[in-house]
Amino acid sequence: MFTNNNRKIMDILIIIFLLCILCGMHSEDTRILSYKRCLHYKGICALLVFFHHASQFVNEGLFFLLFRGMGYIPTTIFFFLSGYGLMCSYQKNPNKRILHKIVRLGFPYLVAHLVYFFVYGPEISLEKLQRPGGTLVSFSWYIITLLLATVVFGMMKKRILPKMFLFCCVYTVVCMAAGLGIYWYDTVYALPFGMFWATYEKRAWTILQKNKRIILLFTIILLILNPVFFLFPMTWVVFRSMRALLCLILFLLFVTKFQIGNRITGFLGKFSYEFYLLHGISFFIFRDIGGVAYVVLSFGLTIFLSMGLHEAVSACSRIYSCFHILFEKTKQEEANNMKTVKIIFNDRFFEDGWAEPYLVTLHFSELYDSEIKCPNIISEEIQKCINAMVTDGFDCSESGIKQILEKYQENESRLESWEISSISGVCFGSEAYELC
């Protein structure tokens, strides 16, 4: 009797969850993949991932058990949105470094390792890492894959789409050779698909909306026929990858027709990444509790932990931004205060009668007010430095000038840096004559 009640309660929770998703979101934002609407998609996917993993530990509720086979759907959407976001950022600023994105992914992941190690302890942590494909942070194969793909993306400059698809193929082969589970790579192709969608977004939406009935019918037929690949062992990966992309197309068709999400999904979407990182620790803490209580307590603790991690990371980001702005301001002030002196290195410094001319730009941290005629004074100081050196073997070449300036810098601490450039001309004394 108690078990039946638990099953009913679990099914009621799932119905409430579905109502939260299907509750219409009224927004003036007409872009289907705008930042605000993507937050709702991420929040929904975070809930789907949570219920998928929770269903592996709970055997109650008819609807709840359906989530056991749906884990690939939210990760496919996550990969798609990540690829879409990466390409959109690249299109806005091709010269923008990808380092900030790597830090945003890697730093919370590093903190999550510390949390898991603290809760698991050394023995369990070591046991998890010794398993094939084992990770300390539960279910973090997605994070590792995304981090690796982001690093590879940051190294590319041209022909990004075919190269990212090639990366996914290579990644699949490596994972298969390493004996990793198929979930490590069957949904990764949604990442280059998201980049493709961002590149040809207007045309893609137009084609999808004009031919949505044909595309819907064709997608459903392919999904029905997709299990045929089970008959051929070598095409198992193709089946799983194609199934993920077909479900992604169904998702895109759905969001073109309906605005999904509400305040709950939008709220979860803001820290969906941290939610994904830490929901495994909640399952571990409440592992001895079963049924509805296990799911409810795990969900509540995951919300609490992920909000805390999100705020901690945001605080670190704000502190870093303050120091970065202060550093850049100080650096700019130093550059503004830097004094520059230009001197021509030619035969006036040497006694061989003629020398190839070089323009040397010297950067000083400061110059005293008494040094009004500082170029002449500096020239005299350099001449004294040369005279004090063993002049045999020195010539007016770039390497020779560099040696002279290094010697001069030993006595003149205000000299910060210099640039040496050849002059296309002939110099006599302090005059330079351009060659015709």
Side-chain angles (χ1 to χ4, degrees):
M1 182 69 178
F2 181 74
T3 303
N4 290 333
N5 289 334
N6 279 350
R7 290 177 179 175
K8 291 179 180 179
I9 294 173
M10 188 66 73
D11 287 336
I12 292 173
L13 288 176
I14 299 304
I15 292 174
I16 294 174
F17 162 72
L18 293 175
L19 289 175
C20 290
I21 292 179
L22 297 176
C23 181
M25 179 186 67
H26 301 286
S27 173
E28 297 179 357
D29 195 343
T30 57
R31 285 192 59 207
I32 298 174
L33 292 177
S34 66
Y35 173 76
K36 291 183 178 180
R37 294 181 68 171
C38 283
L39 284 180
H40 291 274
Y41 305 151
K42 290 179 180 179
I44 293 170
C45 288
L47 287 172
L48 288 173
V49 168
F50 177 85
F51 285 126
H52 165 68
H53 289 144
S55 66
Q56 298 173 14
F57 305 100
V58 177
N59 295 315
E60 296 177 357
L62 176 62
F63 293 110
F64 191 68
L65 294 178
L66 295 177
F67 286 99
R68 286 188 178 180
M70 295 175 58
Y72 67 94
I73 296 178
T75 51
T76 300
I77 298 173
F78 271 137
F79 272 127
F80 172 81
L81 295 177
S82 297
Y84 178 85
L86 281 174
M87 184 57 74
C88 287
S89 298
Y90 175 79
Q91 290 174 340
K92 291 179 181 178
N93 187 1
N95 297 322
K96 187 177 183 180
R97 294 182 180 180
I98 207 68
L99 181 61
H100 74 288
K101 180 67 174 177
I102 298 173
V103 172
R104 285 175 60 188
L105 292 173
F107 181 68
Y109 187 44
L110 177 62
V111 175
H113 274 83
L114 299 177
V115 175
Y116 274 81
F117 184 81
F118 176 78
V119 175
Y120 284 156
E123 294 183 3
I124 298 179
S125 299
L126 184 61
E127 179 186 348
K128 285 176 67 65
L129 292 173
Q130 288 177 340
R131 299 173 185 172
T135 57
L136 181 59
V137 178
S138 300
F139 318 117
S140 63
W141 63 267
Y142 164 75
I143 310 298
I144 296 172
T145 306
L146 184 59
L147 270 169
L148 181 60
T150 304
V151 172
V152 173
F153 176 81
M155 299 168 61
M156 297 178 181
K157 299 298 180 183
K158 297 180 180 179
R159 298 180 180 179
I160 295 178
L161 291 178
K163 288 181 180 178
M164 285 303 300
F165 178 77
L166 179 62
F167 158 76
C168 291
C169 294
V170 173
Y171 175 77
T172 299
V173 173
V174 172
C175 289
M176 293 176 67
L180 299 178
I182 194 170
Y183 56 86
W184 276 78
Y185 49 87
D186 62 341
T187 59
V188 71
Y189 294 92
L191 189 76
F193 187 78
M195 296 178 181
F196 169 84
W197 201 268
T199 304
Y200 305 100
E201 184 171 12
K202 291 183 179 180
R203 191 183 305 176
W205 283 123
T206 301
I207 295 174
L208 189 68
Q209 291 174 343
K210 286 185 177 180
N211 306 281
K212 55 186 176 183
R213 292 183 179 179
I214 297 175
I215 294 175
L216 177 61
L217 179 62
F218 186 69
T219 302
I220 293 175
I221 292 174
L222 285 178
L223 279 172
I224 295 173
L225 297 177
N226 208 234
V228 173
F229 287 99
F230 276 115
L231 303 175
F232 308 96
M234 295 301 295
T235 60
W236 171 244
V237 178
V238 178
F239 155 69
R240 293 284 294 260
S241 301
M242 185 181 295
R243 182 185 64 173
L245 293 177
L246 290 173
C247 290
L248 178 59
I249 293 174
L250 290 179
F251 164 76
L252 293 174
L253 286 169
F254 186 81
V255 295
T256 57
K257 184 69 175 179
F258 303 100
Q259 289 191 28
I260 58 175
N262 52 31
R263 292 183 178 180
I264 297 175
T265 56
F267 171 74
L268 290 174
K270 292 180 180 179
F271 51 89
S272 59
Y273 180 65
E274 293 83 1
F275 187 94
Y276 185 96
L277 282 174
L278 297 177
H279 74 287
I281 205 72
S282 301
F283 292 151
F284 177 80
I285 292 175
F286 298 111
R287 61 190 182 279
D288 296 329
I289 302 176
V292 178
Y294 172 80
V295 177
V296 173
L297 291 174
S298 297
F299 183 78
L301 181 60
T302 302
I303 292 289
F304 176 77
L305 292 176
S306 55
M307 287 180 63
L309 179 58
H310 180 76
E311 291 300 324
V313 172
S314 298
C316 292
S317 178
R318 288 192 294 268
I319 293 173
Y320 169 78
S321 298
C322 292
F323 277 103
H324 180 71
I325 294 172
L326 181 62
F327 174 76
E328 290 295 328
K329 184 178 180 181
T330 304
K331 188 176 179 180
Q332 185 63 39
E333 289 177 350
E334 290 178 353
N336 294 336
N337 294 330
M338 190 74 71
K339 305 299 181 182
T340 302
V341 177
K342 294 184 178 181
I343 297 176
I344 294 177
F345 268 65
N346 52 23
D347 62 338
R348 64 183 169 136
F349 288 113
F350 302 89
E351 296 180 356
D352 57 0
W354 182 88
E356 181 182 357
Y358 282 86
L359 176 64
V360 178
T361 304
L362 306 175
H363 300 287
F364 291 85
S365 58
E366 59 177 340
L367 290 174
Y368 301 136
D369 295 336
S370 60
E371 297 177 347
I372 299 176
K373 298 181 180 180
C374 53
N376 293 333
I377 296 175
I378 294 171
S379 297
E380 292 175 2
E381 293 175 348
I382 292 176
Q383 184 66 65
K384 291 178 181 179
C385 183
I386 295 173
N387 295 339
M389 297 170 66
V390 180
T391 57
D392 292 339
F394 282 95
D395 57 9
C396 193
S397 64
E398 185 171 346
S399 60
I401 294 173
K402 183 179 179 182
Q403 296 179 51
I404 295 169
L405 293 176
E406 288 175 349
K407 184 66 177 179
Y408 174 66
Q409 193 178 32
E410 294 177 2
N411 301 321
E412 180 51 80
S413 60
R414 293 172 296 173
L415 179 61
E416 297 286 342
S417 60
W418 58 77
E419 289 96 32
I420 304 172
S421 57
S422 177
I423 300 177
S424 300
V426 178
C427 291
F428 297 96
S430 61
E431 302 295 332
Y433 301 91
E434 295 292 333
L435 292 175
C436 298

